[in-house]
Amino acid sequence: IAIIGGTGLSSIPPEIFAEPILHQTRFGPAHLLSISYNYVEPAKLYFLARHGARHGLAPHQINYRANIAALVDLDVTSVFATNAVGSLRLDLPVGSLVLLSDFIDFTCARPLSYLAEGEPWKHTDFSIPYSMELRSVIQRAADELEIPLVSKGTYLCCDGPRFESPAEIRMFAQWGADVVGMTGLPEAIFAREAGLAYASIAIVANLGAGLSTTPVSHEQVTEVMSQWVAPVREVLMHAAGILAETPPASS
């Protein structure tokens, strides 16, 4: 089992024993933490900071292929992730937690497939974009911890690293997206292509441009995420424990 942490969730509290791993893949190196068996015994749990341990990588600089390849090499089969997002709806205020159920890929400068040039390829089905089994586990964990979680939402991913314009926010909302971010794709796509079950919680860190009179800022996003990182991490750690007892049947 692996947890991929986004903005705000780039480290593990010191009370959780974790061993750093630098894993070389065919796409380059990936940095992970191996967490003690105590939390998900008999399974193995890994933590991967998407932006690097010190949040040094911008969304377009992340080596999504290497990260997924490292999880495959380490025999991971299930991935829980987090994404800091902007809300496209006034009824999804800052601080909302959304269990993603669908996506729109608006990226245009990233690899289109996990598979490398020359490797056998096939068209991949995304009728169900996120693992139903893992989403069910996350929902159960949130319910048991009494942490409010919006049960579904459509995520639109942009390349970044800039924030979106008001016109883009209006367009994305008209398309049917609920939240917008910069890192959820192609990560979810690559996970599916690699045969991994994948699900993600989106944390609303700001309202999209034009929905508020307050300018969107990186500092604001980081501040909001710092307030929500503990409950989100608790949900995902609890979900990992549940999953270790009842692994999903499929992705």
Side-chain angles (χ1 to χ4, degrees), residues 73-108:
D73 291 346
L74 294 170
D75 296 323
V76 168
T77 57
S78 301
V79 180
F80 297 113
T82 70
N83 293 105
V85 298
S87 175
L88 304 176
R89 296 165 33 191
L90 291 175
D91 61 343
L92 276 181
V94 171
S96 300
L97 305 182
V98 183
L99 183 55
L100 298 179
S101 55
D102 207 343
F103 66 69
I104 299 172
D105 188 358
F106 197 64
T107 64
C108 59

Side-chain angles (χ1 to χ4, degrees), residues 31-240:
H31 298 264
L32 307 92
L33 295 175
S34 175
I35 299 177
S36 169
Y37 277 97
N38 296 344
Y39 298 96
V40 292
E41 194 172 6
K44 184 68 176 174
L45 180 62
Y46 295 96
F47 175 79
L48 190 154
R50 186 187 291 121
H51 293 274
R54 298 181 181 178
H55 203 80
L57 297 174
H60 64 290
Q61 296 172 326
I62 297 169
N63 191 337
Y64 298 94
R65 278 172 151 177
N67 289 346
I68 295 300
L71 300 184
V72 172
D73 291 346
L74 294 170
D75 296 323
V76 168
T77 57
S78 301
V79 180
F80 297 113
T82 70
N83 293 105
V85 298
S87 175
L88 304 176
R89 296 165 33 191
L90 291 175
D91 61 343
L92 276 181
V94 171
S96 300
L97 305 182
V98 183
L99 183 55
L100 298 179
S101 55
D102 207 343
F103 66 69
I104 299 172
D105 188 358
F106 197 64
T107 64
C108 59
R110 301 178 184 180
L112 297 178
S113 174
Y114 169 71
L115 301 171
E117 189 72 26
E119 293 183 346
W121 67 274
K122 63 180 180 179
H123 297 296
T124 307
D125 177 53
F126 278 90
S127 300
I128 302 175
Y130 297 91
S131 166
M132 293 180 63
E133 289 83 1
L134 294 194
R135 293 182 68 250
S136 176
V137 169
I138 291 175
Q139 187 67 66
R140 174 183 162 188
D143 291 344
E144 291 181 356
L145 295 172
E146 299 183 344
I147 294 176
L149 181 65
V150 178
S151 62
K152 64 179 181 178
T154 297
Y155 173 96
L156 186 144
C157 192
C158 297
D159 281 316
R162 68 168 177 86
F163 289 115
E164 303 76 32
S165 71
E168 288 171 332
I169 293 297
R170 293 194 300 271
M171 179 177 68
F172 297 158
Q174 290 173 358
W175 285 357
D178 299 299
V179 295
V180 60
M182 305 177 192
T183 58
L185 301 170
E187 184 176 277
I189 295 171
F190 292 175
R192 174 66 58 82
E193 289 183 319
L196 307 181
Y198 181 100
S200 181
I201 296 177
I203 305 99
V204 175
N206 62 276
L207 294 177
L211 297 182
S212 170
T213 57
T214 304
V216 183
S217 71
H218 180 74
E219 290 74 21
Q220 173 197 0
V221 170
T222 303
E223 180 180 352
V224 171
M225 292 302 297
S226 68
Q227 300 170 12
W228 284 96
V229 62
V232 170
R233 181 171 53 229
E234 187 177 6
V235 168
L236 295 186
M237 292 291 286
H238 188 48

